[in-house]
């Protein structure tokens, strides 16, 4: 007798519920994906079509009847492609966006295909084990205390939320209040202290946690956006009761770091919890050339960072890292107040994140770290910082262009046409012209009351040559506008 499993799938025979059409559909999707990736360096870095065009492209009545899957996939590609930005492209400098490295993408495809629910530790041991190992590697790469727990979340916003939930619970527990069980009504007030240029997602996290984005103490910052240490010292001296201090590693505009070592020393003297938003800046620790920027950061109590920014993982991927693993676990699980005994070394992935059902994002993390290696990560960070300095130098050498930040990391803040109000208009027009041209992509922002162009060098594919092309396009746009061309 032959084992039916040996013949299944051979010839025309397919296992029940699986068809040649399914295989073709996955195959076609992979081919389209590869074609798109191949086009990244040559396609305009901005989308070719507008939101209005895309609304039209996707519009249609809700179909009563289903249709052939291959057809649907072909249709999806045809409609979406003109409205896609080259966010993973070599000359995409908008916001702070990684490039979805192919190793991460391939592992992400498998993650979807394997369809594992990453909540538990026993139903899918591959996921649970991969998360444990990848978490250890992350702590090594970022050189954070090895006893920290790591939650694999969707991004830095959820990482900030998760860490701050742990902070909230633990600070109130120390004050004799069980916030996880009894909520915040009637609890001792927590004072939250942070720099006024903290990232918007931190304020969103505080809002979600019932700590309010308005009732916090916002401290003044310097010209680079760094929290004023004196102001922090004064604010801390005035505190009573539980305090959470939030510092930033990597300002979203300037890339600057709060003086974290000093903040930690002052904060811990008053027994505050210190949280760090290091969405991209934390990765400075993975590179010997930039590690000095983030000295003392290991003294904090929790850290939020992204996988989908500097580590080049596909969306969505972030890490909530907490020194006090029990505080982390208590905040994220309703069973933890009545802690079911776990055997030594047992770790349930869902205990460290807000969600229960979740994709197994540890697979792409594991694969990405393997593909780059410790040296690969360090060299990438060094390369991006080197390219940022090179771009800043070239832009700053052009009359009428000013670089407003100290380029210590990968971020460049550029202003066109001087400090006055006409500079706002000129800067906006240069950004618009650069985007229309499509050679590179740069976005604008308002910083300290002025319009700026913000360039983030963070794509895996950005090389010196690609950066020089981008600088050429930006300088060209500026010269054309200065010469009075529309
Ligand atoms: C991007 C960013 C965030 C938010 O991260 P998401 O991954 O978009 O949720 C928070 N803080 C800083 C400094 C960032 O750059």
């Amino acid at each position: 007798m032959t084992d039916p499993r040996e013949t299944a799938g051979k010839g025309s025979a397919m296992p029940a519920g699986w068809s040649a059409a399914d295989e073709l559909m996955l195959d076609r999707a992979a081919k389209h994906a590869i074609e798109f990736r191949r086009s990244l360096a040559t396609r305009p870095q901005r989308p070719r079509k507008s939101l209005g065009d895309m609304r039209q492209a996707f519009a249609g009545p809700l179909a009563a009847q289903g249709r052939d899957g291959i057809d649907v996939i072909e249709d999806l590609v045809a409609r979406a492609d003109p409205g896609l930005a080259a966010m993973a492209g070599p000359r995409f400098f908008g916001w702070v966006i990684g490039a979805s490295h192919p190793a991460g993408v391939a592992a992400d495809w498998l993650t979807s295909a394997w369809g594992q629910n990453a909540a538990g530790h026993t139903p899918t041991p591959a996921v649970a084990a991969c998360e444990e190992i990848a978490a250890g590697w992350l702590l090594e790469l970022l050189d954070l205390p090895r006893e920290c727990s790591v939650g694999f979340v969707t991004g830095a916003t959820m990482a900030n939320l998760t860490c701050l939930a742990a902070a909230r619970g633990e600070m109130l527990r120390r004050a004799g209040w069980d916030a996880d069980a009894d909520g915040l009504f009637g609890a001792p007030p927590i004072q939250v202290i942070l720099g006024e240029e903290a990232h918007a997602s931190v304020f969103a996290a505080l809002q979600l946690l019932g700590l309010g984005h308005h009732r916090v103490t916002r401290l003044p910052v310097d010209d680079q956006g760094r929290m004023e240490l004196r102001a922090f010292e004064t604010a801390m001296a005035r505190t009573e009761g539980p305090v959470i201090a939030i510092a930033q590693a990597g300002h979203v505009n300037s890339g600057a770091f709060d003086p974290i070592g000093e903040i930690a020393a002052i904060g811990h003297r008053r027994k505050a919890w210190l949280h760090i938003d290091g969405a991209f800046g934390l990765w400075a620790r993975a590179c010997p050339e930039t590690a000095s920027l983030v000295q003392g950061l290991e003294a904090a109590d929790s850290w939020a960072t992204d996988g989908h920014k500097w580590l080049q993982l596909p969306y969505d991927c972030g890490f909530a890292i907490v020194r006090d693993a029990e505080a982390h676990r208590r905040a994220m699980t309703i069973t933890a107040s009545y802690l079911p005994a776990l055997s030594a070394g047992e770790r349930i992935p869902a205990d460290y994140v807000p969600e229960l059902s979740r994709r197994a994002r540890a697979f792409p993390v594991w694969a990405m770290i393997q593909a780059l290696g410790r040296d690969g990560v360090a060299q990438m960070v060094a390369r991006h910082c080197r390219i940022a300095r090179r771009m800043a130098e070239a832009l700053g050498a052009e009359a009428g262009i000013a670089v407003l930040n100290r380029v210590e990391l990968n971020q460049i803040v550029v202003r066109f046409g001087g400090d006055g109000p006409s500079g706002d208009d000129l800067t906006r027009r240069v950004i618009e012209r650069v985007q229309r041209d499509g050679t590179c992509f740069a976005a604008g922002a308002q910083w300290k009351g002025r319009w700026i162009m913000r360039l983030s060098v963070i794509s895996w594919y950005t090389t010196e040559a690609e950066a020089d092309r981008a600088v050429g396009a930006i300088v060209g746009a500026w010269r054309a506008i200065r010469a009075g061309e529309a």
Side-chain angles (χ1 to χ4, degrees), residues 96 155-158 160 199 201 248 250 252 277 279-280 306 308-309:
V96 186
T157 302
M158 287 314 280
N160 279 320
H199 193 268
S201 70
Q248 182 163 250
V252 75
D277 175 15
F280 60 99
D306 264 316
H308 57 219
K309 286 182 180 171

Side-chain angles (χ1 to χ4, degrees), residues 32 41 46 63 269:
H32 281 302
R46 59 157 162 80
R269 249 179 268 136

Side-chain angles (χ1 to χ4, degrees), residues 138-196:
L138 282 166
L139 295 177
E140 262 191 74
L141 274 172
L142 299 170
D143 194 17
L144 294 176
R146 306 302 192 264
E147 75 268 22
C148 289
S149 52
V150 183
F152 288 62
V153 293
T154 50
T157 302
M158 287 314 280
N160 279 320
L161 177 101
T162 302
C163 292
L164 290 170
R168 182 188 67 173
E170 176 59 18
M171 293 314 286
L172 287 178
R173 198 185 63 83
R174 287 187 207 163
W177 185 270
D178 183 351
D180 300 321
D182 300 324
L184 290 181
F185 299 104
I190 298 178
Q191 195 172 345
V192 178
I193 300 179
L194 75 180
E196 67 182 351

